[in-house]
Short mmCIF file of all heavy atoms in Angstrom, two decimals:
data_model
loop_
_atom_site.label_atom_id
_atom_site.label_comp_id
_atom_site.label_asym_id
_atom_site.label_seq_id
_atom_site.Cartn_x
_atom_site.Cartn_y
_atom_site.Cartn_z
N MET H 1 95.43 82.95 116.00
CA MET H 1 94.13 83.49 115.56
C MET H 1 93.52 84.16 116.79
O MET H 1 93.37 83.55 117.82
CB MET H 1 93.28 82.33 115.06
CG MET H 1 92.00 82.87 114.49
SD MET H 1 91.12 81.77 113.40
CE MET H 1 90.75 80.34 114.36
N TYR H 2 93.21 85.40 116.63
CA TYR H 2 92.68 86.19 117.76
C TYR H 2 91.16 86.35 117.72
O TYR H 2 90.58 86.85 118.65
CB TYR H 2 93.36 87.55 117.81
CG TYR H 2 93.19 88.38 116.60
CD1 TYR H 2 92.13 89.29 116.49
CD2 TYR H 2 94.06 88.25 115.57
CE1 TYR H 2 92.01 90.07 115.36
CE2 TYR H 2 93.95 89.04 114.42
CZ TYR H 2 92.91 89.95 114.37
OH TYR H 2 92.75 90.71 113.24
N ARG H 3 90.50 85.93 116.63
CA ARG H 3 89.04 85.91 116.63
C ARG H 3 88.54 84.81 115.67
O ARG H 3 89.16 84.48 114.71
CB ARG H 3 88.43 87.24 116.29
CG ARG H 3 88.76 87.73 114.89
CD ARG H 3 88.11 89.07 114.64
NE ARG H 3 88.66 89.66 113.51
CZ ARG H 3 88.31 90.77 112.98
NH1 ARG H 3 87.37 91.51 113.61
NH2 ARG H 3 88.84 91.24 111.91
N ILE H 4 87.39 84.30 115.92
CA ILE H 4 86.81 83.23 115.12
C ILE H 4 86.09 83.86 113.92
O ILE H 4 85.30 84.72 114.05
CB ILE H 4 85.80 82.42 115.95
CG1 ILE H 4 86.53 81.74 117.12
CG2 ILE H 4 85.12 81.35 115.05
CD1 ILE H 4 85.60 81.06 118.10
N PRO H 5 86.47 83.41 112.68
CA PRO H 5 85.83 83.89 111.49
C PRO H 5 84.36 83.48 111.41
O PRO H 5 84.05 82.34 111.67
CB PRO H 5 86.60 83.29 110.33
CG PRO H 5 87.64 82.41 110.91
CD PRO H 5 87.54 82.45 112.34
N VAL H 6 83.43 84.44 111.07
CA VAL H 6 82.07 84.21 110.97
C VAL H 6 81.63 84.54 109.56
O VAL H 6 81.84 85.68 109.08
CB VAL H 6 81.27 85.02 111.98
CG1 VAL H 6 79.77 84.83 111.80
CG2 VAL H 6 81.68 84.72 113.40
N GLY H 7 81.07 83.60 108.85
CA GLY H 7 80.61 83.85 107.49
C GLY H 7 81.03 82.71 106.57
O GLY H 7 81.38 81.65 107.04
N THR H 8 80.97 82.99 105.26
CA THR H 8 81.31 81.96 104.27
C THR H 8 82.75 82.18 103.80
O THR H 8 83.10 83.26 103.34
CB THR H 8 80.37 82.08 103.03
OG1 THR H 8 79.03 82.00 103.50
CG2 THR H 8 80.62 80.98 102.02
N LEU H 9 83.57 81.12 103.92
CA LEU H 9 84.92 81.18 103.46
C LEU H 9 85.01 81.31 101.93
O LEU H 9 84.41 80.52 101.24
CB LEU H 9 85.68 79.92 103.90
CG LEU H 9 87.14 79.84 103.46
CD1 LEU H 9 87.98 80.93 104.09
CD2 LEU H 9 87.73 78.50 103.80
N LYS H 10 85.68 82.36 101.47
CA LYS H 10 85.78 82.57 100.03
C LYS H 10 87.20 82.24 99.50
O LYS H 10 87.32 81.70 98.43
CB LYS H 10 85.51 84.08 99.67
CG LYS H 10 84.10 84.50 99.94
CD LYS H 10 83.17 83.75 99.03
CE LYS H 10 81.76 84.22 99.21
NZ LYS H 10 80.85 83.55 98.36
N ARG H 11 88.21 82.51 100.29
CA ARG H 11 89.56 82.20 99.82
C ARG H 11 90.53 82.10 101.04
O ARG H 11 90.39 82.80 101.99
CB ARG H 11 90.08 83.29 98.91
CG ARG H 11 91.49 83.08 98.41
CD ARG H 11 91.95 84.19 97.50
NE ARG H 11 91.10 84.24 96.32
CZ ARG H 11 91.14 85.23 95.46
NH1 ARG H 11 91.91 86.25 95.66
NH2 ARG H 11 90.33 85.19 94.42
N CYS H 12 91.47 81.15 100.90
CA CYS H 12 92.49 81.00 101.92
C CYS H 12 93.85 80.83 101.19
O CYS H 12 94.03 80.03 100.38
CB CYS H 12 92.24 79.80 102.78
SG CYS H 12 93.49 79.46 104.03
N THR H 13 94.73 81.77 101.53
CA THR H 13 96.05 81.79 100.86
C THR H 13 97.16 81.52 101.93
O THR H 13 97.16 82.25 102.94
CB THR H 13 96.33 83.12 100.17
OG1 THR H 13 95.24 83.36 99.25
CG2 THR H 13 97.60 83.09 99.40
N ILE H 14 97.95 80.56 101.68
CA ILE H 14 99.07 80.28 102.60
C ILE H 14 100.36 80.81 101.97
O ILE H 14 100.68 80.54 100.77
CB ILE H 14 99.30 78.74 102.82
CG1 ILE H 14 97.94 78.13 103.25
CG2 ILE H 14 100.44 78.46 103.80
CD1 ILE H 14 97.49 78.55 104.62
N ILE H 15 101.10 81.65 102.71
CA ILE H 15 102.26 82.31 102.19
C ILE H 15 103.44 81.98 103.04
O ILE H 15 103.40 82.04 104.27
CB ILE H 15 102.07 83.88 102.18
CG1 ILE H 15 100.83 84.21 101.38
CG2 ILE H 15 103.33 84.60 101.69
CD1 ILE H 15 100.40 85.67 101.54
N ARG H 16 104.59 81.64 102.39
CA ARG H 16 105.84 81.41 103.07
C ARG H 16 106.81 82.50 102.71
O ARG H 16 107.13 82.69 101.55
CB ARG H 16 106.42 80.04 102.78
CG ARG H 16 107.69 79.81 103.53
CD ARG H 16 108.27 78.41 103.20
NE ARG H 16 109.50 78.26 103.92
CZ ARG H 16 110.46 77.50 103.52
NH1 ARG H 16 110.34 76.80 102.37
NH2 ARG H 16 111.57 77.35 104.19
N ASP H 17 107.25 83.25 103.72
CA ASP H 17 108.21 84.36 103.47
C ASP H 17 109.46 84.08 104.29
O ASP H 17 109.44 84.23 105.50
CB ASP H 17 107.57 85.72 103.88
CG ASP H 17 108.46 86.87 103.57
OD1 ASP H 17 109.36 86.80 102.72
OD2 ASP H 17 108.27 87.93 104.23
N VAL H 18 110.55 83.66 103.67
CA VAL H 18 111.80 83.26 104.25
C VAL H 18 111.52 82.17 105.27
O VAL H 18 111.42 81.03 104.92
CB VAL H 18 112.54 84.52 104.86
CG1 VAL H 18 113.89 84.06 105.34
CG2 VAL H 18 112.71 85.60 103.85
N ASN H 19 111.45 82.49 106.58
CA ASN H 19 111.24 81.45 107.55
C ASN H 19 109.96 81.67 108.34
O ASN H 19 109.78 81.10 109.41
CB ASN H 19 112.47 81.40 108.53
CG ASN H 19 112.60 82.67 109.32
OD1 ASN H 19 111.96 83.71 108.99
ND2 ASN H 19 113.46 82.72 110.27
N GLN H 20 109.00 82.39 107.77
CA GLN H 20 107.71 82.63 108.46
C GLN H 20 106.59 82.22 107.53
O GLN H 20 106.69 82.34 106.32
CB GLN H 20 107.57 84.11 108.83
CG GLN H 20 108.60 84.58 109.82
CD GLN H 20 108.38 86.02 110.24
OE1 GLN H 20 107.61 86.77 109.66
NE2 GLN H 20 109.09 86.46 111.30
N TRP H 21 105.52 81.78 108.12
CA TRP H 21 104.31 81.38 107.42
C TRP H 21 103.16 82.31 107.75
O TRP H 21 103.03 82.74 108.89
CB TRP H 21 103.93 79.96 107.76
CG TRP H 21 104.85 78.94 107.21
CD1 TRP H 21 106.04 78.51 107.84
CD2 TRP H 21 104.77 78.27 106.01
NE1 TRP H 21 106.63 77.56 107.05
CE2 TRP H 21 105.88 77.39 105.92
CE3 TRP H 21 103.87 78.22 104.95
CZ2 TRP H 21 106.14 76.49 104.85
CZ3 TRP H 21 104.10 77.38 103.86
CH2 TRP H 21 105.21 76.55 103.86
N TYR H 22 102.35 82.67 106.75
CA TYR H 22 101.20 83.50 106.94
C TYR H 22 99.97 82.84 106.30
O TYR H 22 100.15 82.13 105.30
CB TYR H 22 101.43 84.88 106.29
CG TYR H 22 102.56 85.66 106.84
CD1 TYR H 22 103.78 85.59 106.18
CD2 TYR H 22 102.46 86.45 107.93
CE1 TYR H 22 104.88 86.30 106.67
CE2 TYR H 22 103.55 87.17 108.43
CZ TYR H 22 104.75 87.07 107.79
OH TYR H 22 105.79 87.79 108.29
N CYS H 23 98.81 83.06 106.84
CA CYS H 23 97.56 82.59 106.29
C CYS H 23 96.64 83.80 106.11
O CYS H 23 96.35 84.53 107.06
CB CYS H 23 96.93 81.59 107.21
SG CYS H 23 95.35 81.01 106.62
N VAL H 24 96.23 84.03 104.86
CA VAL H 24 95.29 85.10 104.57
C VAL H 24 93.90 84.51 104.28
O VAL H 24 93.75 83.68 103.35
CB VAL H 24 95.77 85.94 103.36
CG1 VAL H 24 94.80 87.06 103.05
CG2 VAL H 24 97.18 86.49 103.65
N ILE H 25 92.89 84.88 105.06
CA ILE H 25 91.57 84.30 104.92
C ILE H 25 90.60 85.40 104.52
O ILE H 25 90.55 86.44 105.16
CB ILE H 25 91.10 83.66 106.25
CG1 ILE H 25 92.05 82.57 106.66
CG2 ILE H 25 89.68 83.18 106.13
CD1 ILE H 25 91.78 82.00 108.04
N ILE H 26 89.85 85.16 103.43
CA ILE H 26 88.83 86.13 103.00
C ILE H 26 87.51 85.48 103.18
O ILE H 26 87.23 84.31 102.77
CB ILE H 26 89.03 86.44 101.48
CG1 ILE H 26 90.40 87.12 101.30
CG2 ILE H 26 87.89 87.35 101.00
CD1 ILE H 26 90.72 87.42 99.90
N ILE H 27 86.61 86.19 103.88
CA ILE H 27 85.31 85.66 104.30
C ILE H 27 84.22 86.64 103.88
O ILE H 27 84.36 87.86 104.05
CB ILE H 27 85.26 85.44 105.82
CG1 ILE H 27 86.19 84.34 106.20
CG2 ILE H 27 83.83 85.15 106.29
CD1 ILE H 27 86.31 84.09 107.64
N ASP H 28 83.11 86.12 103.36
CA ASP H 28 81.95 86.92 103.03
C ASP H 28 81.00 86.83 104.24
O ASP H 28 80.50 85.78 104.55
CB ASP H 28 81.22 86.43 101.82
CG ASP H 28 80.02 87.23 101.42
OD1 ASP H 28 79.82 88.29 102.02
OD2 ASP H 28 79.32 86.81 100.50
N ASP H 29 80.82 88.01 104.94
CA ASP H 29 79.97 88.02 106.14
C ASP H 29 78.52 88.30 105.81
O ASP H 29 77.67 88.36 106.67
CB ASP H 29 80.51 88.98 107.19
CG ASP H 29 80.54 90.43 106.67
OD1 ASP H 29 80.18 90.65 105.55
OD2 ASP H 29 80.93 91.27 107.49
N GLY H 30 78.20 88.54 104.52
CA GLY H 30 76.86 88.82 104.11
C GLY H 30 76.37 90.19 104.29
O GLY H 30 75.21 90.57 104.01
N ILE H 31 77.23 91.08 104.85
CA ILE H 31 76.88 92.50 105.08
C ILE H 31 77.47 93.37 103.99
O ILE H 31 78.68 93.33 103.79
CB ILE H 31 77.35 92.94 106.47
CG1 ILE H 31 76.77 92.07 107.56
CG2 ILE H 31 77.01 94.42 106.69
CD1 ILE H 31 77.34 92.33 108.94
N ASP H 32 76.64 94.05 103.25
CA ASP H 32 77.12 94.89 102.17
C ASP H 32 77.52 96.28 102.78
O ASP H 32 76.67 96.98 103.30
CB ASP H 32 76.04 95.14 101.10
CG ASP H 32 75.76 93.84 100.32
OD1 ASP H 32 76.67 93.02 100.24
OD2 ASP H 32 74.63 93.71 99.87
N LYS H 33 78.80 96.59 102.72
CA LYS H 33 79.31 97.85 103.27
C LYS H 33 79.98 98.63 102.12
O LYS H 33 80.76 98.05 101.39
CB LYS H 33 80.33 97.58 104.36
CG LYS H 33 79.78 96.86 105.52
CD LYS H 33 80.90 96.60 106.54
CE LYS H 33 80.45 95.72 107.67
NZ LYS H 33 81.48 95.33 108.51
N PRO H 34 79.69 99.90 102.02
CA PRO H 34 80.47 100.68 101.02
C PRO H 34 81.92 100.78 101.48
O PRO H 34 82.23 100.75 102.64
CB PRO H 34 79.79 102.06 101.02
CG PRO H 34 79.10 102.10 102.34
CD PRO H 34 78.75 100.70 102.70
N ILE H 35 82.86 100.84 100.45
CA ILE H 35 84.26 100.93 100.82
C ILE H 35 84.53 102.11 101.68
O ILE H 35 84.91 102.00 102.86
CB ILE H 35 85.13 100.93 99.52
CG1 ILE H 35 84.91 99.65 98.77
CG2 ILE H 35 86.60 101.19 99.84
CD1 ILE H 35 85.61 99.61 97.44
N THR H 36 84.33 103.29 101.18
CA THR H 36 84.47 104.52 101.98
C THR H 36 83.77 105.63 101.20
O THR H 36 83.90 105.73 100.04
CB THR H 36 85.94 104.91 102.18
OG1 THR H 36 86.65 103.80 102.73
CG2 THR H 36 86.09 106.04 103.16
N ASP H 37 83.12 106.53 101.95
CA ASP H 37 82.47 107.64 101.28
C ASP H 37 82.84 108.88 102.05
O ASP H 37 82.30 109.13 103.16
CB ASP H 37 80.96 107.44 101.23
CG ASP H 37 80.26 108.64 100.47
OD1 ASP H 37 80.99 109.36 99.81
OD2 ASP H 37 79.10 108.74 100.56
N HIS H 38 83.80 109.67 101.53
CA HIS H 38 84.23 110.88 102.18
C HIS H 38 83.66 112.06 101.45
O HIS H 38 84.31 112.60 100.55
CB HIS H 38 85.74 110.99 102.29
CG HIS H 38 86.38 109.91 103.11
ND1 HIS H 38 86.24 109.88 104.47
CD2 HIS H 38 87.09 108.81 102.78
CE1 HIS H 38 86.86 108.80 104.96
NE2 HIS H 38 87.36 108.13 103.94
N GLY H 39 82.52 112.50 101.76
CA GLY H 39 81.91 113.65 101.12
C GLY H 39 81.13 113.30 99.86
O GLY H 39 80.81 112.18 99.60
N THR H 40 80.89 114.29 99.03
CA THR H 40 80.09 114.13 97.83
C THR H 40 80.96 113.97 96.58
O THR H 40 80.39 113.76 95.51
CB THR H 40 79.15 115.34 97.65
OG1 THR H 40 79.91 116.51 97.55
CG2 THR H 40 78.19 115.40 98.83
N ASN H 41 82.24 114.15 96.66
CA ASN H 41 83.13 114.01 95.47
C ASN H 41 83.30 112.55 95.16
O ASN H 41 83.93 111.79 95.87
CB ASN H 41 84.45 114.66 95.76
CG ASN H 41 85.35 114.73 94.53
OD1 ASN H 41 84.91 114.31 93.47
ND2 ASN H 41 86.53 115.22 94.67
N LYS H 42 82.73 112.12 94.06
CA LYS H 42 82.82 110.71 93.64
C LYS H 42 83.89 110.43 92.61
O LYS H 42 84.00 109.36 92.09
CB LYS H 42 81.45 110.23 93.06
CG LYS H 42 80.29 110.44 93.99
CD LYS H 42 80.38 109.49 95.18
CE LYS H 42 79.11 109.67 96.01
NZ LYS H 42 79.19 109.08 97.31
N LYS H 43 84.66 111.50 92.25
CA LYS H 43 85.71 111.39 91.21
C LYS H 43 86.96 110.71 91.82
O LYS H 43 87.28 110.96 92.95
CB LYS H 43 86.02 112.72 90.64
CG LYS H 43 84.89 113.35 89.91
CD LYS H 43 85.28 114.72 89.37
CE LYS H 43 84.06 115.40 88.73
NZ LYS H 43 84.43 116.76 88.31
N PRO H 44 87.70 109.92 91.02
CA PRO H 44 88.96 109.36 91.51
C PRO H 44 90.00 110.44 91.71
O PRO H 44 90.00 111.42 91.03
CB PRO H 44 89.38 108.37 90.46
CG PRO H 44 88.49 108.56 89.28
CD PRO H 44 87.33 109.42 89.73
N VAL H 45 90.86 110.21 92.71
CA VAL H 45 91.91 111.26 93.05
C VAL H 45 93.26 110.56 92.96
O VAL H 45 93.48 109.45 93.45
CB VAL H 45 91.66 111.78 94.49
CG1 VAL H 45 92.80 112.71 94.84
CG2 VAL H 45 90.33 112.49 94.53
N GLY H 46 94.24 111.21 92.29
CA GLY H 46 95.60 110.74 92.25
C GLY H 46 96.50 111.62 93.04
O GLY H 46 96.34 112.87 93.02
N ILE H 47 97.44 111.09 93.74
CA ILE H 47 98.37 111.90 94.58
C ILE H 47 99.79 111.58 94.18
O ILE H 47 100.21 110.40 94.15
CB ILE H 47 98.15 111.62 96.09
CG1 ILE H 47 96.76 111.97 96.49
CG2 ILE H 47 99.19 112.39 96.95
CD1 ILE H 47 96.38 111.57 97.91
N ASP H 48 100.56 112.62 93.86
CA ASP H 48 101.97 112.44 93.55
C ASP H 48 102.81 112.99 94.71
O ASP H 48 102.77 114.16 94.99
CB ASP H 48 102.29 113.22 92.24
CG ASP H 48 103.75 113.06 91.84
OD1 ASP H 48 104.51 112.27 92.51
OD2 ASP H 48 104.19 113.75 90.88
N VAL H 49 103.43 112.06 95.46
CA VAL H 49 104.19 112.52 96.62
C VAL H 49 105.66 112.90 96.26
O VAL H 49 106.35 113.38 97.13
CB VAL H 49 104.19 111.40 97.69
CG1 VAL H 49 102.82 111.20 98.25
CG2 VAL H 49 104.74 110.12 97.14
N GLY H 50 106.07 112.68 95.00
CA GLY H 50 107.37 113.18 94.61
C GLY H 50 108.54 112.49 95.26
O GLY H 50 109.48 113.13 95.67
N LEU H 51 108.54 111.17 95.41
CA LEU H 51 109.64 110.43 96.00
C LEU H 51 110.84 110.33 95.05
O LEU H 51 110.64 110.10 93.88
CB LEU H 51 109.19 109.05 96.41
CG LEU H 51 108.10 109.01 97.49
CD1 LEU H 51 107.67 107.56 97.69
CD2 LEU H 51 108.56 109.61 98.75
N LEU H 52 111.98 110.43 95.56
CA LEU H 52 113.22 110.39 94.77
C LEU H 52 113.79 108.96 94.83
O LEU H 52 114.43 108.52 93.92
CB LEU H 52 114.22 111.37 95.20
CG LEU H 52 113.79 112.86 95.01
CD1 LEU H 52 114.90 113.77 95.57
CD2 LEU H 52 113.54 113.15 93.56
N ASN H 53 113.69 108.31 95.96
CA ASN H 53 114.27 107.00 96.20
C ASN H 53 113.20 105.99 96.55
O ASN H 53 112.31 106.27 97.22
CB ASN H 53 115.29 107.02 97.29
CG ASN H 53 116.49 107.89 96.92
OD1 ASN H 53 116.89 107.90 95.78
ND2 ASN H 53 116.99 108.65 97.86
#
């Protein structure tokens, strides 16, 4: 752990992948932040990258 979590613990998920363990911690820090706002276009955008494999 490289930093101490600050806030209210909402969820903790323990994951085992082959021979490694992971811990995913979700914390509510009480700060309301918008996800991202890039300009004034509020419409959803879909991108088709045309992958074959």
Side-chain angles (χ1 to χ4, degrees):
M1 184 161 62
Y2 58 93
R3 64 179 167 178
I4 298 172
V6 177
T8 304
L9 177 65
K10 294 295 182 179
R11 180 180 297 168
C12 177
T13 305
I14 307 295
I15 302 168
R16 181 178 179 209
D17 183 23
V18 185
N19 62 350
Q20 296 181 350
W21 290 86
Y22 301 94
C23 176
V24 179
I25 299 174
I26 298 175
I27 295 178
D28 181 8
D29 62 0
I31 301 173
D32 293 330
K33 299 177 187 173
I35 296 174
T36 307
D37 183 14
H38 295 289
T40 59
N41 187 3
K42 304 291 185 192
K43 297 179 183 176
V45 175
I47 299 173
D48 181 6
V49 293
L51 298 176
L52 297 177
N53 296 322

